[in-house]
Amino acid sequence: MITPAYVRKMSQYSAWQNRSLYAAAGTLSHDDRMADRGAFFGSIHATLSHVLWGDQAWMRRFAQTPEPRAKTISEALTAYTTLDQLERDRFDFDAVIADWAETLQADWLEGDLTWISAAEGQELTRPKWVLVTHMFNHQTHHRGQVHAMLTAAGARPEKTDIPFMPQ
């Protein structure tokens, strides 16, 4: 079982890493960010957009935040045409996650959540703490892909290890 302190730490980590990746992405040209680099979602831009969409979808389920801009996983890949708008929405949504994490109570994490999975096309029920853990793990997984694409393109994001996170 995770704790609200864990959720707050992961929210801080996520925001730090997002700032790092977007700063590095901003050093590349639009064409370099949009280039298919063989990752699961193809480009740096599409992968960053997918991460935001996933966060928005999970937070909609956790905290009734507004619907994501895109309705589906595939729509999310092209929902943003510029890095500027994607970055603004990303950083704004990092604040939404941080605000939610700050007020999260331990008893909320103990229950189950039932939702309709876009990926599976069916209703699923899982423990909330597992789903919150998944949200942060999903971010980290895809940010790792973005980090690899950025470094291959010559950009230099910050370190990714939690112990090196600024306090």
Side-chain angles (χ1 to χ4, degrees):
M1 169 71 84
I2 62 173
T3 65
Y6 168 84
V7 175
R8 286 188 290 277
K9 182 57 71 179
M10 292 308 295
S11 171
Q12 294 162 0
Y13 174 73
S14 176
W16 170 54
Q17 285 300 295
N18 288 333
R19 287 188 304 273
S20 170
L21 293 183
Y22 279 82
T27 68
L28 300 176
S29 72
H30 175 80
D31 290 345
D32 284 341
R33 289 189 305 271
M34 299 303 241
D36 188 333
R37 298 182 178 277
F40 190 80
F41 293 109
S43 71
I44 292 165
H45 189 90
T47 305
L48 289 171
S49 186
H50 171 75
V51 174
L52 175 58
W53 180 85
D55 289 353
Q56 290 171 335
W58 282 112
M59 288 302 298
R60 173 83 177 139
R61 297 169 187 140
F62 298 157
Q64 295 72 53
T65 59
E67 292 282 343
R69 174 185 282 221
K71 300 294 182 221
T72 66
I73 293 171
S74 60
E75 282 179 24
L77 305 182
T78 58
Y80 293 90
T81 57
T82 68
L83 183 65
D84 289 342
Q85 185 60 53
L86 177 57
E87 183 176 51
R88 274 192 299 277
D89 285 4
R90 170 76 270 171
F91 294 167
D92 287 349
F93 207 73
D94 284 343
V96 170
I97 295 171
D99 290 345
W100 171 75
E102 284 302 317
T103 62
L104 185 64
Q105 299 295 310
D107 62 338
W108 184 90
L109 292 164
E110 295 171 6
D112 287 342
L113 179 75
T114 299
W115 81 103
I116 304 294
S117 168
E120 296 296 316
Q122 63 180 328
E123 184 176 280
L124 299 171
T125 300
R126 300 287 186 273
K128 289 178 184 175
W129 76 268
V130 169
L131 299 175
V132 172
T133 302
H134 166 73
M135 180 181 76
F136 290 117
N137 187 60
H138 178 262
Q139 297 168 351
T140 301
H141 165 70
H142 288 302
R143 279 195 309 260
Q145 292 173 326
V146 171
H147 193 284
M149 290 187 280
L150 286 167
T151 56
R156 296 289 174 246
E158 295 179 50
K159 296 175 182 177
T160 61
D161 298 324
I162 292 173
F164 301 121
M165 182 170 56
Q167 296 300 315

